[in-house]
């Protein structure tokens, strides 16, 4: 009887569009696949044309590896497959074992040849293996909506047969695009924005502003829980907790109520940039979506960006709240985000902030403040915490 040799076959999409940089992207992807699964036990990772193969023949938990591999950014899809040699007899032997005890109403075979000199065409392989299945399972062929799709990938020296496939996040491997610093509140939006940047290959440094002791420490606990969750996709995370209450108190002395939110934000941007510089982060990220709340008008966003010296990315700018909430639920950040807490930007601010502040107006109001000293104080008192995923058993 054929011995089953499980592998996880990892497919990527966008990386294959790169030309000169492909080896670099693949190195990141390979390293992240290893990193995402390091608590599950070692295995050999092989780069093959157009795919990466994880050899799990002696591995205790192939299914767990499949689950984890499906979360790695840059992965278009993964399949738990079985490796065999590329003869029809060998394929049938493995397929026979995989069909043992399985019942399904319909199926299709999707054979692909990674090299065209194979003696059978894909169509011929589909027919031959389809007939093999029909002889063993009471079922029928359905090319359009099969209950089970049996994918057969034929390489010159080995073939992979898979029944169980799942999509990955797509995008690019974390680390391939450099580092950005995300302003992380305890809300719904900023964790989603940070994740979007991870999916574009960025490593994200997190910066959270809190107003302890003027407000309770809830927001810090939420920020920590969110970073822990988001570490699922980047493995090692750093979070700066910045005490912002004293700075807000000074701002309040010279800035009228309606203007405070924009001025707070400008200070957050300046402090986050100072911290970003320490980590070589070349851009900032926020969770703003155009028009969602009063502080997120075009005018106010422009007034905030005016103090930035590096790009400020807003990956959610064109999304509505329902879309963002659905994504937060998928990512598993929503539950933490909706826990009640007091937002630091509501401290000492009226219910109706200015919606159209120009950079010049904000700048004029800040003239009475010692901006440099406040920014230095904020950055200087920031506390750095680090997070690791997966948590290794002791
Ligand atoms: P979120 O759901 O991310 O809190 P929001 O819809 O509540 O966003 P705002 O309160 O206007 O919007 O905040 C806009 C953005 O400013 C946030 O997405 C975040 O990037 C940043 N921000 C706001 N408050 C903080 C904070 N306390 N610490 C760090 N960043 C913050
Ligand atoms: Mg918020």
């Amino acid at each position: 009887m054929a011995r089953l040799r499980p592998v996880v076959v990892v497919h990527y999409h966008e990386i294959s569009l790169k030309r000169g940089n492909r080896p670099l992207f693949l190195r990141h992807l390979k390293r992240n696949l290893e990193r995402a699964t390091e608590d599950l036990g070692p295995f050999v990772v092989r780069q093959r044309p157009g795919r990466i193969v994880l050899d799990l023949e002696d591995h205790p938990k192939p299914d767990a590896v499949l689950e984890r591999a499906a979360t790695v950014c840059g992965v278009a899809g993964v399949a738990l497959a079985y490796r065999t040699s590329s003869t029809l007899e060998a394929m049938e032997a493995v397929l026979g074992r995989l069909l043992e005890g399985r019942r399904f109403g319909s199926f299709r075979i999707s054979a692909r040849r990674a090299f065209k000199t194979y003696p059978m065409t894909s169509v011929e392989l589909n027919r031959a293996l389809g007939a093999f299945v029909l002889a063993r399972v009471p079922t029928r062929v359905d090319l359009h909506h099969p209950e089970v799709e049996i994918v057969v990938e034929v390489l010159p020296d080995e073939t992979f047969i898979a029944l169980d496939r799942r999509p990955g996040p797509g995008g690019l491997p974390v680390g391939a695009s450099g580092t950005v610093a995300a302003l992380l509140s305890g809300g719904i939006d900023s964790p989603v924005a940070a994740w979007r940047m991870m999916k574009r290959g960025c490593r994200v440094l997190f910066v959270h502003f809190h107003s302890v002791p003027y407000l309770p420490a809830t927001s810090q606990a939420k920020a920590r829980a969110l970073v822990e969750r988001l570490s699922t996709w980047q493995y090692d995370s750093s979070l700066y907790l910045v005490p912002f209450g004293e700075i807000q108190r000074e701002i309040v002395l010279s800035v009228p109520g309606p203007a405070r939110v924009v001025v707070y934000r400008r200070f957050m941007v300046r402090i986050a940039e100072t911290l970003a510089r320490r980590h070589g982060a070349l851009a900032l990220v926020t969770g703003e979506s155009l028009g969602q709340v009063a502080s997120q008008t075009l005018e106010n966003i422009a007034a905030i960006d005016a103090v930035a010296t590096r790009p400020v990315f807003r990956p959610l700018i064109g999304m509505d709240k329902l879309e963002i909430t659905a994504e937060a639920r998928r990512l598993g950040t929503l539950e933490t985000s909706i826990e009640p807490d007091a937002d630091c930007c509501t401290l000492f601010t009226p219910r109706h902030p200015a919606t159209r502040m120009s950079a010049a107006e904000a700048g004029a109001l800040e003239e009475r403040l010692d901006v440099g000293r406040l920014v230095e104080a904020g950055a200087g008192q920031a506390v750095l915490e680090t997070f690791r995923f997966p948590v290794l058993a002791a």
Side-chain angles (χ1 to χ4, degrees), residues 14-274:
E14 242 182 278
I15 297 169
S16 53
L17 306 177
K18 315 266 170 229
R19 289 190 164 216
N21 278 334
R22 195 181 306 159
L24 177 79
F25 283 91
L26 287 175
R27 265 203 303 284
H28 281 286
L29 184 59
K30 182 169 176 277
R31 206 199 40 228
N32 291 350
L33 285 163
E34 288 166 342
R35 193 61 188 76
T37 55
E38 72 176 22
D39 60 323
L40 300 174
F43 49 79
V44 173
V45 182
R46 290 187 292 135
Q47 266 180 39
R48 306 261 26 213
R51 49 186 66 65
I52 289 177
V53 177
L54 317 180
D55 278 324
L56 301 169
E57 192 164 343
D58 300 308
H59 196 281
K61 299 171 187 162
D63 291 301
V65 173
L66 180 75
E67 294 276 331
R68 288 279 180 80
T71 66
V72 174
C73 292
V75 170
V78 290
L80 182 58
Y82 296 87
R83 194 158 89 83
T84 181
S85 51
S86 296
T87 64
L88 187 61
E89 299 70 46
M91 293 180 204
E92 288 179 346
V94 168
L95 192 51
R97 287 223 38 203
L98 296 180
L99 294 173
E100 279 168 20
R102 301 254 323 208
R103 287 288 168 272
F104 40 87
S106 63
F107 79 105
R108 69 167 287 168
I109 307 273
S110 305
R112 292 187 209 113
R113 300 171 309 159
F115 70 117
K116 301 301 173 201
T117 51
Y118 191 74
M120 295 173 82
T121 66
S122 306
V123 175
E124 288 166 347
L125 269 172
N126 286 341
R127 289 220 183 94
L129 294 172
F132 180 85
V133 174
L134 287 171
R136 274 158 191 80
V137 181
T139 182
R140 65 189 173 81
V141 174
D142 183 342
L143 295 181
H144 301 292
H145 303 285
E147 197 182 313
V148 169
E149 185 183 15
I150 302 171
V151 177
V152 180
E153 297 178 57
V154 188
L155 276 62
D157 52 337
E158 58 183 341
T159 287
F160 305 115
I161 302 179
L163 279 80
D164 192 8
R165 296 191 306 153
R166 59 198 67 190
L172 298 170
V174 168
S177 304
T179 305
V180 295
L183 282 76
L184 184 77
S185 68
I188 296 172
D189 306 329
S190 40
V192 175
W195 185 80
R196 285 283 174 118
M197 297 311 296
M198 290 179 190
K199 190 178 155 177
R200 297 313 304 160
C202 290
R203 175 159 291 291
V204 177
L205 168 73
F206 296 98
V207 183
H208 174 71
F209 296 85
H210 65 83
S211 308
V212 175
Y214 302 96
L215 291 173
T218 330
S219 78
Q220 293 180 57
K222 289 176 71 173
R224 285 191 189 102
L226 290 169
V227 171
E228 213 168 283
R229 178 67 196 149
L230 290 168
S231 296
T232 309
W233 292 275
Q234 70 171 9
Y235 322 117
D236 292 286
S237 299
S238 297
L239 164 67
Y240 276 110
L241 297 165
V242 186
F244 201 54
E246 280 309 321
I247 295 170
Q248 289 178 287
R249 236 170 50 101
E250 285 208 32
I251 292 171
V252 166
L253 296 177
S254 50
V255 176
R260 283 173 198 160
V261 172
V262 168
V263 174
Y264 288 169
R265 278 295 143 68
R266 284 162 58 104
F267 275 88
M268 284 185 183
V269 164
R270 290 175 175 119
I271 293 168
E273 275 205 328
T274 306

